[in-house]
Amino acid sequence: MPNMNPKKTPMPEQEPNVRNKNFDEVSYGYTEEMAKNEAERCLHCKHKPCMKGCPVAVHIPDFIQQVAEGDYEGAYRTIKMTNSLPAICGRVCPQENQCEHNCVRGIKGEPVAIGRLERFVADWHMKHGKDEAEKVEPNGHKVAVVGAGPAGLTCAGDLAAMGYSVTVFEALHAAGGVLMYGIPQFRLPKEIVQREIDTLKAKGVEIKIDMVIGKVLSVDELFENGYEAVFIGTGAGLPNFMNIPGEGLVGVYSANEFLTRVNLMKAYKPDYDTPIIHPKNVAVVGGGNVAMDAARTALRLGAESVHIVYRRAEEQMPARREEIHHAKEEGVIFDLLCNPVQILGDENGKVNAIECIRMELGEPDASGRRKPIPVEGSNFKIPVDCVVMAIGNSPNPLIRSTTKGIEANSHGCIVVKDDTMETTREGVFAAGDAVSGAATVILAMGGGKEAARSIDKYIRSKK
Amino acid sequence: MFQILQKRKLNDSMTLMVIDAPFIAKKAQAGEFIILRVNEHGERIPLTIADYDREKGTVTIIYQIVGKTTMLLDQLGEGDALLDFIGPLGKPSNLTDYKKAAVIGGGAGCAIAYPQAKALHAQGTEVDMIAGFRNKNLIILEDEMRSVSDKLIVMTDDGSNGHKGFVTDALREQIEGGANYDVVVAIGPLVMMRAVSELTKKYGIKTIVSMNPIMIDGTGMCGGCRLTVGGKTKFACVDGPDFDGHEVDFDEAIKRSRTYYEMEREAAREFNCRLMEGAKNA
């Protein structure tokens, strides 16, 4: 008999006024009892609409059934069939727009908490399960993966499972990409990312850090070194700025820099040498998940006031509802329908205010969202000593600017064939933000999976 | 891990290290830089490549001890290893089209000016080198610089080595004496590069400066190294580190370079105290 409660089983969380002062994870996750209770809300629809919403097609009703039966390890294996990073996806996927968006229970109430269940299963496995590295018969073929973010790691994992010898090259000193440098500890503990990476290593994937492909080795040299195909998952690592006056002032960060200092370089821990400004009053410009992450990070660094400055209304914010909700609970101030026009500084070049103009919404633009229009004469200033620009990233240009034959569009995104993820250069495949521009972890993983299938097909067709 | 094969003190505050980094040595070109991290809790700092040996697979760096990270680095000796050593990064210098060049080095900047002069000299460009130091005791790489230039002028701020004055004084003298430079390459403290650029602008001589701003990843990702050049935002790591000195907004760059000044001084002070403590207890 299904649990007909219209609401999701709540997930226990740290109190907002406590958690906004520490970097520990916000949500504690379900207990076994909560998980079973929530799993029983699934109606096991024959047509499995939830699965269609999942970019990597996790067998959702099956794993939920196993949770309901208490077979957590079985549930883990079910998820793992198609998703190599469940502990991460359970935490950072925008489930409300994907699997949960399609859930039949969502019509008359809240959808089944698929994300929370996925997280429960992955965490249960980490605590109780064993990773027996399945030994796959090596097929004697080598593939290079450039970038150890979600796209690259997924592609590498899938290829390794098929028997390929895979080397992942990472430019930073740690694998994980945006999972390590971007998403904060309180939303995605780095130990979890590390654990997933270790699992991949146990499968035989070799990860070489500190290797900037395009500089230290070219794509051509990868082929010369015997790699038969190259996958590019270099992400969207080139921060956008607004090109308004004052962006060169001291105290203006890109979200990437701000978050990298804190997440990858652990600036919030006293025993690390990374310096960071500990701002009193902060404005974060943007309305996506990255903006929420930066705002909540600023609070945790001790800021007294943190403003989100976003040029549209809350409904148009690209951030996940849950993140907006968490940010508000923690005390982030939302200045909506506002757009910065300049950043002001003192005689030492340090930020002391951000000047904004009020906006109103006009007709929908190309993205389908109503276009913000400035209201003349409505300028006002917010006194701040730090501004974080979280208005998106463009694909990193390093590889395509140093490699011949890889075409990119006018936004700098690598051009690929939709169904195969093959670039304009033979044997070179790409996916993730390098192709799509800034998107989500799960979409990057979906692309990485697709590319792994195509790479396998490509190499086998050459035999 | 990247082993330190050789360590040589150049003066009281500057040290040369030869690092075993065959992949980087194979690709390194003049003007490019590396990013290093000494240990797990350390910062990532950029340093320009001072030299490389493709056959031996080594890369040479020269650093000035200014903060905690360089102090930490200086604690290491031959046989020890750096945790991370990443490169080569940035765009190599493009100096192929010049017949006569003035290469200006200021203090630690001479470590980077020297390979530039070497590359220019090797391609047949006539090179005048002007090197500036605060005093005689700080002079580094004098023989090396002499060996790759047609003329070497060493200036000291206090005159303790003969020529008293700034590099700009020597440069002005050369220009007014009819040196006819096609290009001036200036590498050193920001204030020195600004002074050189202001001078050469008056004479209409193209001037290239090597910028070394605050940086984390060195691949364009963090945007921390941004500069305003010709009114546009540029990233030193992927658009540079070389820029047209007449276009760089030095005032902004100088202010930005001081972002962590107080914090760094504090960290260095604490580190020094701990070292003293250790010495006392030893």
Side-chain angles (χ1 to χ4, degrees):
Chain A
M1 185 58 201
N3 166 359
M4 291 314 288
N5 191 331
K7 296 241 180 226
K8 286 177 178 177
T9 309
M11 185 145 76
E13 294 175 341
Q14 278 196 73
E15 282 300 317
N17 256 322
V18 174
R19 69 176 191 243
N20 63 9
K21 294 173 193 70
N22 67 54
F23 279 85
D24 299 337
E25 199 171 10
V26 166
S27 312
Y28 294 121
Y30 279 162
T31 59
E32 283 189 38
E33 197 187 336
M34 291 171 194
K36 274 189 183 163
N37 190 47
E38 183 61 20
E40 277 162 10
R41 291 185 67 228
C42 176
L43 300 176
H44 297 282
C45 314
K46 268 216 174 73
H47 62 304
K48 303 175 183 175
C50 48
M51 267 186 79
K52 294 190 188 81
C54 177
V56 298
V58 168
H59 296 272
I60 294 166
D62 299 355
F63 100 74
I64 292 181
Q65 176 78 42
Q66 286 163 305
V67 173
E69 290 163 1
D71 178 12
Y72 309 128
E73 190 58 26
Y76 180 75
R77 281 198 300 270
T78 302
I79 298 174
K80 269 290 214 186
M81 281 162 56
T82 62
N83 182 348
S84 43
L85 309 168
I88 293 164
C89 290
R91 285 171 167 83
V92 302
C93 265
Q95 291 105 8
E96 65 273 25
N97 304 326
Q98 296 177 340
C99 50
E100 295 183 17
H101 179 74
N102 294 353
C103 177
V104 170
R105 290 298 300 265
I107 300 168
K108 278 190 182 159
E110 288 183 350
V112 175
I114 301 167
R116 293 175 185 178
L117 288 172
E118 181 181 30
R119 170 182 162 162
F120 166 78
V121 168
D123 288 359
W124 191 92
H125 172 81
M126 279 201 186
K127 239 188 182 153
H128 308 278
K130 257 204 205 124
D131 283 313
E132 324 99 60
E134 294 156 51
K135 281 288 161 218
V136 184
E137 196 61 33
N139 66 13
H141 295 277
K142 274 168 71 177
V143 178
V145 169
V146 182
L153 293 178
T154 304
C155 185
D158 283 16
L159 286 168
M162 294 178 217
Y164 288 91
S165 155
V166 186
T167 311
V168 182
F169 296 92
E170 168 56 42
L172 287 170
H173 62 252
V178 72
L179 307 171
M180 276 294 186
Y181 74 74
I183 304 175
Q185 180 77 5
F186 56 82
R187 203 150 74 79
L188 178 66
K190 301 303 150 231
E191 302 76 44
I192 285 170
V193 181
Q194 194 51 54
R195 175 89 186 237
E196 300 281 28
I197 290 163
D198 292 342
T199 310
L200 274 183
K201 283 189 190 161
K203 263 178 155 179
V205 173
E206 186 187 12
I207 298 181
K208 289 193 170 172
I209 55 164
D210 292 345
M211 294 289 279
V212 183
I213 301 302
K215 292 294 294 179
V216 72
L217 280 176
S218 66
V219 168
D220 294 281
E221 284 167 315
L222 291 174
F223 282 114
E224 283 161 26
N225 288 341
Y227 295 103
E228 293 165 72
V230 175
F231 173 77
I232 298 174
T234 46
L238 190 75
N240 295 339
F241 287 90
M242 292 187 75
N243 298 315
I244 54 173
E247 280 180 311
L249 289 167
V250 175
V252 181
Y253 284 108
S254 74
N256 274 0
E257 181 185 1
F258 187 68
L259 292 171
T260 301
R261 283 183 183 275
V262 176
N263 298 326
L264 179 74
M265 306 293 301
K266 308 270 182 269
Y268 67 96
K269 291 189 174 174
D271 57 335
Y272 277 73
D273 293 338
T274 314
I276 193 158
I277 294 173
H278 286 263
K280 275 206 173 68
N281 303 295
V282 185
V284 177
V285 181
N289 288 324
V290 175
M292 299 304 138
D293 286 345
R296 297 169 70 196
T297 296
L299 277 180
R300 284 159 172 80
L301 288 176
E304 287 159 16
S305 78
V306 179
H307 294 253
I308 286 273
V309 176
Y310 179 57
R311 60 191 187 139
R312 293 182 159 101
E314 185 171 327
E315 302 80 71
Q316 283 98 17
M317 274 196 165
R320 291 183 64 195
R321 296 300 109 183
E322 187 180 322
E323 305 310 331
I324 295 171
H325 173 71
H326 277 153
K328 280 188 173 169
E329 277 186 339
E330 288 169 12
V332 174
I333 302 156
F334 282 65
D335 288 312
L336 303 168
L337 288 163
C338 289
N339 205 28
V341 291
Q342 66 169 328
I343 302 165
L344 303 151
D346 64 15
E347 67 284 358
N348 298 318
K350 288 185 179 162
V351 173
N352 60 17
I354 184 166
E355 182 181 332
C356 302
I357 188 165
R358 304 229 179 256
M359 310 292 275
E360 56 190 14
L361 293 178
E363 294 300 307
D365 64 10
S367 72
R369 290 181 300 176
R370 290 175 62 193
K371 199 179 146 113
I373 305 162
V375 179
E376 287 304 321
S378 66
N379 294 37
F380 66 102
K381 286 176 196 166
I382 309 172
V384 290
D385 54 349
C386 178
V387 173
V388 181
M389 286 293 170
I391 53 168
N393 292 290
S394 304
N396 194 294
L398 236 162
I399 287 248
R400 62 185 150 77
S401 65
T402 54
T403 309
K404 280 194 192 107
I406 298 177
E407 263 176 47
N409 67 19
S410 59
H411 298 291
C413 302
I414 295 175
V415 176
V416 294
K417 284 185 198 143
D418 266 349
D419 48 340
T420 63
M421 313 311 280
E422 190 170 8
T423 67
T424 46
R425 181 165 166 178
E426 199 200 317
V428 180
F429 299 75
D433 287 2
V435 168
S436 61
T440 60
V441 169
I442 189 76
L443 282 173
M445 289 176 55
K449 273 191 132 20
E450 194 68 57
R453 271 196 292 272
S454 302
I455 289 169
D456 175 50
K457 217 164 138 189
Y458 166 75
I459 290 178
R460 280 193 290 133
S461 74
K462 282 201 312 180
K463 277 187 207 170
Chain B
M1 301 287 274
F2 300 82
Q3 211 185 13
I4 299 162
L5 300 177
Q6 199 191 326
K7 180 182 177 186
R8 178 156 63 97
K9 279 232 159 275
L10 298 178
N11 63 28
D12 282 350
S13 68
M14 264 184 265
T15 308
L16 173 151
M17 272 183 181
V18 179
I19 312 290
D20 180 38
F23 276 106
I24 302 174
K26 209 172 147 194
K27 285 298 174 64
Q29 295 180 64
E32 292 178 314
F33 64 96
I34 55 93
I35 282 188
L36 64 80
R37 199 167 64 127
V38 178
N39 61 32
E40 181 56 40
H41 290 211
E43 276 184 278
R44 293 168 64 102
I45 60 158
L47 285 174
T48 305
I49 294 170
D51 205 353
Y52 51 81
D53 186 323
R54 298 207 201 284
E55 274 173 19
K56 288 186 187 146
T58 60
V59 172
T60 303
I61 51 169
I62 293 175
Y63 57 88
Q64 185 168 23
I65 303 162
V66 285
K68 182 175 172 188
T69 300
T70 37
M71 287 176 184
L72 211 57
L73 183 59
D74 214 48
Q75 297 278 297
L76 302 179
E78 290 172 9
D80 291 335
L82 303 173
L83 185 56
D84 301 289
F85 198 73
I86 306 154
L89 298 165
K91 280 187 181 160
S93 302
N94 184 5
L95 299 168
T96 46
D97 300 334
Y98 304 105
K99 281 204 183 72
K100 187 166 183 190
V103 178
I104 322 282
C110 291
I112 311 156
Y114 159 63
Q116 299 283 29
K118 187 175 165 187
L120 282 162
H121 183 74
Q123 75 189 18
T125 301
E126 190 183 339
V127 179
D128 287 355
M129 238 194 131
I130 303 170
F133 301 92
R134 280 206 314 280
N135 63 54
K136 193 179 173 183
N137 296 334
L138 297 174
I139 295 173
I140 57 164
L141 301 173
E142 192 172 356
D143 294 340
E144 285 90 341
M145 291 191 287
R146 181 159 288 121
S147 72
V148 296
S149 49
D150 296 80
K151 183 192 274 179
L152 172 70
I153 305 167
V154 178
M155 302 294 287
T156 43
D157 296 2
D158 64 356
S160 51
N161 192 49
H163 294 287
K164 182 178 173 166
F166 297 126
V167 288
T168 39
D169 300 327
L171 179 61
R172 186 183 300 112
E173 206 174 294
Q174 292 302 309
I175 294 171
E176 299 203 329
N180 254 330
Y181 298 121
D182 304 313
V183 69
V184 171
V185 179
I187 302 167
L190 287 166
V191 281
M192 182 213 92
M193 293 196 285
R194 176 172 63 185
V196 169
S197 300
E198 279 167 1
L199 177 71
T200 55
K201 196 165 187 177
K202 273 189 233 154
Y203 295 99
I205 306 169
K206 186 175 172 67
T207 298
I208 294 164
V209 294
S210 177
M211 303 299 282
N212 186 16
I214 292 167
M215 192 181 278
I216 305 181
D217 65 299
T219 64
M221 188 271 275
C222 82
C225 65
R226 65 190 184 281
L227 305 160
T228 304
V229 182
K232 292 202 177 83
T233 298
K234 297 277 178 189
F235 293 172
C237 65
V238 285
D239 300 319
D242 289 358
F243 291 100
D244 181 338
H246 299 153
E247 300 267 303
V248 172
D249 182 341
F250 279 104
D251 293 345
E252 181 187 273
I254 288 167
K255 283 171 183 160
R256 282 184 64 80
S257 73
R258 293 181 184 149
T259 302
Y260 301 111
Y261 183 69
E262 293 298 328
M263 269 176 255
E264 276 160 3
R265 255 189 13 176
E266 182 60 20
R269 202 184 56 79
E270 265 178 38
F271 187 69
N272 245 333
C273 286
R274 279 216 310 277
L275 284 184
M276 305 289 274
E277 197 83 347
K280 248 193 321 199
N281 296 339

